[in-house]
């Protein structure tokens, strides 16, 4: 994998949004989360976290895990960590000052002096005019890069029309979109194409739609963190029938749909345990007969629950 901005970027980036969630420091549950974090850090893959994930515990647990590695291994693993700056969860503010505070919080939790790769995360509550104005989040992100406090900066979020404004500034090196380049929704295609044309490195997060395409059409699964309509569940059941005829898990097709896209430099997949990491590797390597792709296409477009055009763009 080649990326102008991230040397040695891996095809899989391991997502840690639930890592350490609801764990108490010193508990057995924390030990388990740390064991998962060590497996992620030792995997050789890049690792994606954020200030707000699991209320800060994702970064804290990664920090504990880094502390348990030897010096050389620790430095090497630290260079594969990507984190994100988040709004103040009490006030919703994501201005330039908050960008710096968020980054400082992340460094404290991770026990690092700097992180090479830093995204601006989910800037939905801040009007773009504020974000792009003096004292705004974009200016602060650019300053962090100019001051050498991070190597490259990215914009990471879901809603395409919101993210498009940030991409259009030309300020960012990285783009992360989620749930919008999958078997059931490809609304990221235009913006990812633009990002590639601009020379940005593109991450595609949540290839399983956060749930549905890994756990399947059974009742209760969600897509993009929202309930799934009967129509989408029925479409997924038909896709399951197609892949079952070829002896392939739907999750393998969902993951490889992203891995084989020319628009995607790295696919960010949620990993909750060392076993899930092994499974992800097996799914990524599964030999999928060519016919599967054509038969999935013949099902027609899936009735996706993603409708960014209905969401506010500030
Ligand atoms: N705005 C942003 O920047 C943003 C937004 C979304 C995501 N992300 C990043 O992308 C990562 C991935 O997103 P995601 O975790 O929401 O979605 P995802 O990778 O599409 O799906 C994760 C889900 O798939 C399940 N799963 C994974 N492997 C499985 C397997 N082998 N068998 C059965 N189920 C399996 C997981 O279940 P278990 O929990 O049971 O393992 C979990 O429910 C996040 O962790 C985060 O790092 C970033």
């Amino acid at each position: 994998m080649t990326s102008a901005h991230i040397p040695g970027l891996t095809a899989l980036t391991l997502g840690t949004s639930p890592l350490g969630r609801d764990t108490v420091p010193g508990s057995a549950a924390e030990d388990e989360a740390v064991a998962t974090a060590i497996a992620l850090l030792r995997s050789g893959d890049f690792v994606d976290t954020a200030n707000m994930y699991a209320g800060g515990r994702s970064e804290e647990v990664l920090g504990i895990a880094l502390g348990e590695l030897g010096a050389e291994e620790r430095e090497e693993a630290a260079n594969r960590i990507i984190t994100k700056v988040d709004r103040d969860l009490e006030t919703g503010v994501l201005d330039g000052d908050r960008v710096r505070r968020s980054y400082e919080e992340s460094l404290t939790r991770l026990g690092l002096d700097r992180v090479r790769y830093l995204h601006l995360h989910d800037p939905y509550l801040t009007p773009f005019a504020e974000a792009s104005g003096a004292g705004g989040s974009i200016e602060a992100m650019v300053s962090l890069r100019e001051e050498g406090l991070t190597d490259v900066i990215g914009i990471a979020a879901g809603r395409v029309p919101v993210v498009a404004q940030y991409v259009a500034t030309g300020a960012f090196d990285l783009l992360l979109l989620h749930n919008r380049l999958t078997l059931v929704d490809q609304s990221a295609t235009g913006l990812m194409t633009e990002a590639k044309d601009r020379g940005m490195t593109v991450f595609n997060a949540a290839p399983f739609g956060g749930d549905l395409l890994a756990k399947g059409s059974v009742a209760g699964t969600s897509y993009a963190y929202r309930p799934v309509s009967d129509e989408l569940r029925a479409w997924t059941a038909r896709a399951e029938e197609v892949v079952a005829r070829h002896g392939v898990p739907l999750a393998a097709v969902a993951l490889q749909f992203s891995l084989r896209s020319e628009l995607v430099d790295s696919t960010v997949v949620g990993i909750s345990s060392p076993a899930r990491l092994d499974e992800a590797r097996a799914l990524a390597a599964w030999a999928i007969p060519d016919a599967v792709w054509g038969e999935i296409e013949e099902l027609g477009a899936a009735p996706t629950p993603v409708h960014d055009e209905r969401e506010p763009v500030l």
Side-chain angles (χ1 to χ4, degrees), residues 15 17 48 53 121-122 178 206 208 210 215 225 270 272 276 279:
S17 45
D48 180 87
Y53 284 169
H121 192 202
D122 288 354
H178 63 86
F208 302 132
K215 301 246 163 70
Y225 324 112
S272 61
R276 285 283 193 245
E279 286 163 14

Side-chain angles (χ1 to χ4, degrees), residues 236-301:
T236 307
R238 288 202 300 281
E240 285 168 332
E241 283 165 22
V242 166
V243 299
R245 282 202 295 276
H246 295 276
V248 178
L250 185 62
V253 181
L255 182 55
Q256 290 190 33
F257 177 84
S258 176
L259 289 172
R260 66 195 229 135
S261 169
E262 289 181 354
L263 296 176
V264 177
D265 293 295
S266 186
T267 299
V268 192
V269 55
I271 300 291
S272 61
S273 68
R276 285 283 193 245
L277 180 55
D278 293 342
E279 286 163 14
R281 292 210 186 296
L283 294 171
W286 203 288
I288 298 177
D290 286 345
V292 168
W293 302 107
E295 288 178 37
I296 292 279
E297 218 171 301
E298 280 165 19
L299 294 176

Side-chain angles (χ1 to χ4, degrees), residues 19 72 104 113 115 127 137 149 161 166 187-188 190 201 227 273 277 290:
L19 183 71
E72 204 176 309
E104 283 161 16
D113 295 334
V115 169
S137 58
L149 298 174
Y166 289 78
S187 54
T201 293
S273 68
L277 180 55
D290 286 345

Side-chain angles (χ1 to χ4, degrees), residues 54-283:
R57 292 291 285 155
S58 175
E59 289 181 331
E60 274 173 13
V61 164
L62 283 166
I64 297 169
L66 282 168
E68 294 192 11
L69 303 181
E72 204 176 309
E73 196 181 21
R74 178 175 187 274
E75 190 183 334
E76 192 273 328
N79 287 338
R80 284 184 278 104
I81 291 180
I82 303 163
T83 194
K84 313 188 187 81
V85 300
D86 274 300
R87 64 185 177 274
D88 181 313
L89 290 184
E90 277 175 24
T91 62
V93 169
L94 183 52
D95 60 8
D97 287 344
R98 173 59 196 161
V99 164
R100 284 188 180 260
R101 267 201 313 282
S102 176
Y103 187 38
E104 283 161 16
E105 287 169 9
S106 293
L107 294 179
T108 302
R109 293 179 190 142
L110 290 164
L112 297 172
D113 295 334
R114 78 196 289 279
V115 169
R116 287 185 170 189
Y117 313 111
L118 188 67
H119 289 293
L120 180 66
H121 192 202
D122 288 354
Y124 299 126
L125 303 182
T126 309
F128 181 70
E130 273 177 34
S132 56
S137 58
I138 298 177
E139 181 187 86
M141 292 294 289
V142 170
S143 297
L144 289 176
R145 182 181 56 196
E146 281 174 0
E147 292 165 31
L149 298 174
T150 188
D151 286 0
V152 296
I153 58 173
I155 173 73
R159 292 183 213 156
V160 169
V162 174
V163 180
Q165 302 176 103
Y166 289 78
V167 169
T169 64
F172 294 93
D173 311 297
L174 318 174
L175 167 68
L176 181 152
L177 287 171
H178 63 86
N179 288 288
R180 285 156 177 84
L181 193 77
T182 70
L183 281 181
V184 306
D185 187 285
Q186 291 102 47
S187 54
T189 303
L191 187 54
M192 285 186 175
T193 304
E194 183 187 339
K196 295 298 288 180
D197 289 346
R198 288 177 174 275
M200 296 171 77
T201 293
V202 173
F203 291 87
N204 184 37
F208 302 132
D211 196 28
L212 178 74
L213 300 172
K215 301 246 163 70
S217 61
V218 292
T221 47
S222 58
Y223 185 89
Y225 324 112
R226 290 179 186 187
V228 167
S229 66
D230 291 345
E231 292 76 17
L232 178 54
R233 210 171 286 291
W235 187 96
T236 307
R238 288 202 300 281
E240 285 168 332
E241 283 165 22
V242 166
V243 299
R245 282 202 295 276
H246 295 276
V248 178
L250 185 62
V253 181
L255 182 55
Q256 290 190 33
F257 177 84
S258 176
L259 289 172
R260 66 195 229 135
S261 169
E262 289 181 354
L263 296 176
V264 177
D265 293 295
S266 186
T267 299
V268 192
V269 55
I271 300 291
S272 61
S273 68
R276 285 283 193 245
L277 180 55
D278 293 342
E279 286 163 14
R281 292 210 186 296
L283 294 171

